[in-house]
Amino acid sequence: MMCAMTSAFIMAQGVAFEPEGTTLAQASAKAKSENKLIFLDCFTQWCGPCKKMSREVFPQEKVGAAMNPRFVSLKIDMESEYGAPLAKQLQITAYPTFVVFTADAEEISRFLGYHEADDFLSVLEEKSKDNTSAPLRARWQSGDRDPQFLQEYLQTLTASYKAGEANDVAEAILEGKEETFAGDSTLRGIFFRNITNPFAKSFIYTVKHPEGLQAVAGEMPVRMKLQSVLSGFQRQLINEADGTATLDQERYDRFSQLLDELGIQDADHYRLQTLITLSEKQKDYASYLNYIRQYLANPNLDADDMTLARWTKPFTPQSELLYRQQMKAILQRRLNEISEGKRQPQTKVGNMQLSRPTDELLEMIIKALDGQLPNQ
């Protein structure tokens, strides 16, 4: 009787997530013992839709009643010490991402974004049944490269947001078609949608000979695609595990060499941005500020005001005085350039109008670093 009452109480509270700190391996052990699937909510602290799911959907009684008997459910912050390497392993790049696993922690499927409760349960029901990728993966691993199979497998991977695996299949489809794929709408779509590896032959060819793809897709979409691939790969050069961040030196060197071989004009952007991110994660703020100064001194690069503002993120009024002073000097130098008419403050980011010009924002940040409230 007590067990039944406890179970009913848990369901009434919504989804019964495992305690914070539960690992995927621990969830797997529990799922096997209880003959359940695993549901993983991949979230971050800054993600608005993640918070909305936690606030409005997961606490609902009907959601708990549908999920608790079938799933061992856990939430993992994908930027936490445990979550960051798991996000890289699972190829999680957008939030929230919901992943359904077998009890053995073999992925069945995944889906993204905020959903109202009824829609969420409907999608979850469908995704819990979708296990078609397992036999397809087995065919791929066995060496099957039948064109029709590759297209089918790629569609499955794309629908599951498995970018790394989808890239591998896309490379196989485009193999030998580097000079002609631009003229085929299907192959062109695969390049834009699925190629994420800058070492892919189709990517290298397009960097060297962009005019063919630009003629049918436009100059701006091609430029944005190339930048997206390079930026995405740059973010993969840092390994995170057990609360530490290290540079994958071999991959960094290979990537740096590729940038030079391809003649990427802003190659130093990708090199320095990697090192800025690494030193921030390592809390090595002396190196962090040094790399920022190198970036700003590079005649081939230009950091806009909003980028400068983002670079102040690690610093608070409680940070070491020396580092705050150095960051403030960087911001003040930019303000001087604006006041002298050498630069114009930003009023937009992309198509979004800012609530105030960026010189006012930088002034506010300088005051905040001194511990002054915005209205002082």
Side-chain angles (χ1 to χ4, degrees):
M1 176 67 71
M2 182 63 69
C3 180
M5 292 176 61
T6 301
S7 177
F9 175 77
I10 291 174
M11 288 186 183
Q13 300 306 301
V15 180
F17 285 101
E18 296 300 301
E20 183 177 352
T22 301
T23 67
L24 184 57
Q26 291 169 332
S28 175
K30 182 174 181 180
K32 284 188 279 191
S33 68
E34 298 181 2
N35 193 28
K36 293 181 178 180
L37 299 175
I38 301 169
F39 171 81
L40 171 61
D41 171 19
C42 302
F43 73 96
T44 65
Q45 297 293 337
W46 48 262
C47 167
C50 302
K51 295 177 182 178
K52 194 173 182 182
M53 288 294 299
S54 293
R55 184 175 62 247
E56 299 179 4
V57 178
F58 294 141
Q60 292 190 34
E61 181 176 352
K62 64 181 177 182
V63 179
M67 291 185 63
N68 294 338
R70 299 183 57 204
F71 297 93
V72 172
S73 301
L74 68 159
K75 298 170 65 71
I76 297 179
D77 181 349
M78 292 288 115
E79 294 183 342
S80 67
E81 180 177 329
Y82 172 72
L86 183 63
K88 192 171 184 178
Q89 174 189 332
L90 296 177
Q91 306 172 52
I92 305 296
T93 58
Y95 302 98
T97 293
F98 309 113
V99 189
V100 180
F101 299 90
T102 66
D104 291 316
E106 292 289 335
E107 181 174 335
I108 296 174
S109 61
R110 64 178 71 182
F111 58 107
L112 278 70
Y114 176 81
H115 297 261
E116 298 289 349
D118 289 337
D119 182 50
F120 172 78
L121 291 176
S122 176
V123 175
L124 179 62
E125 175 67 24
E126 180 64 27
K127 293 296 182 178
S128 299
K129 297 176 181 177
D130 182 11
N131 57 4
T132 56
S133 62
L136 294 177
R137 186 183 303 112
R139 287 181 62 182
W140 165 262
Q141 292 174 341
S142 72
D144 189 340
R145 297 298 182 266
D146 174 75
Q148 184 175 347
F149 157 68
L150 291 177
Q151 292 281 354
E152 180 183 356
Y153 188 32
L154 182 62
Q155 290 178 9
T156 300
L157 293 171
T158 302
S160 299
Y161 304 96
K162 296 179 180 178
E165 294 173 58
N167 170 85
D168 294 342
V169 178
E171 284 193 48
I173 292 173
L174 296 174
E175 179 74 29
K177 305 179 182 69
E178 293 81 17
E179 299 182 20
T180 59
F181 79 86
D184 185 306
S185 61
T186 298
L187 298 180
R188 190 166 65 242
I190 289 172
F191 176 83
F192 275 106
R193 185 173 56 249
N194 299 115
I195 291 297
T196 57
N197 175 22
F199 293 92
K201 294 178 181 178
S202 57
F203 180 85
I204 292 174
Y205 181 85
T206 301
V207 173
K208 293 181 176 180
H209 308 281
E211 58 279 353
L213 190 56
Q214 289 174 346
V216 291
E219 183 177 345
M220 182 60 70
V222 174
R223 184 187 306 127
M224 291 179 64
K225 172 61 180 179
L226 300 183
Q227 291 175 345
S228 173
V229 171
L230 294 174
S231 296
F233 191 81
Q234 162 228 304
R235 290 191 290 270
Q236 299 176 34
L237 301 175
I238 297 174
N239 296 322
E240 295 183 75
D242 301 324
T244 62
T246 57
L247 182 67
D248 188 328
Q249 190 66 55
E250 182 180 354
R251 295 186 83 196
Y252 177 84
D253 291 343
R254 288 180 58 232
F255 182 57
S256 182
Q257 181 179 354
L258 178 68
L259 294 172
D260 290 336
E261 290 175 353
L262 295 178
I264 303 298
Q265 185 174 5
D266 56 347
D268 285 337
H269 162 78
Y270 300 103
R271 297 186 182 102
L272 284 169
Q273 188 57 59
T274 300
L275 298 175
I276 289 170
T277 303
L278 174 68
S279 54
E280 179 183 4
K281 290 180 179 295
Q282 293 176 332
K283 296 182 171 56
D284 179 0
Y285 297 126
S287 296
Y288 179 76
L289 288 160
N290 183 47
Y291 291 132
I292 289 175
R293 283 190 287 266
Q294 288 184 43
Y295 194 106
L296 296 173
N298 192 309
N300 295 320
L301 304 179
D302 183 59
D304 61 23
D305 297 346
M306 292 302 293
T307 297
L308 282 186
R310 286 194 295 272
W311 280 342
T312 65
K313 180 182 175 183
F315 304 110
T316 69
Q318 291 73 42
S319 301
E320 189 171 330
L321 178 60
L322 176 62
Y323 298 143
R324 281 190 287 130
Q325 289 177 330
Q326 292 180 14
M327 191 70 237
K328 285 164 55 181
I330 291 171
L331 299 180
Q332 188 60 55
R333 191 175 302 117
R334 175 59 58 86
L335 285 174
N336 293 342
E337 292 174 350
I338 292 174
S339 65
E340 294 167 3
K342 296 177 181 178
R343 297 182 69 102
Q344 293 299 314
Q346 285 180 260
T347 57
K348 289 184 176 182
V349 175
N351 295 322
M352 183 181 70
Q353 186 75 35
L354 297 175
S355 60
R356 63 183 71 208
T358 49
D359 55 342
E360 295 183 22
L361 171 63
L362 297 181
E363 288 174 351
M364 290 176 59
I365 293 173
I366 288 176
K367 291 180 179 180
L369 290 174
D370 284 330
Q372 299 180 46
L373 297 175
N375 61 356
Q376 289 182 314

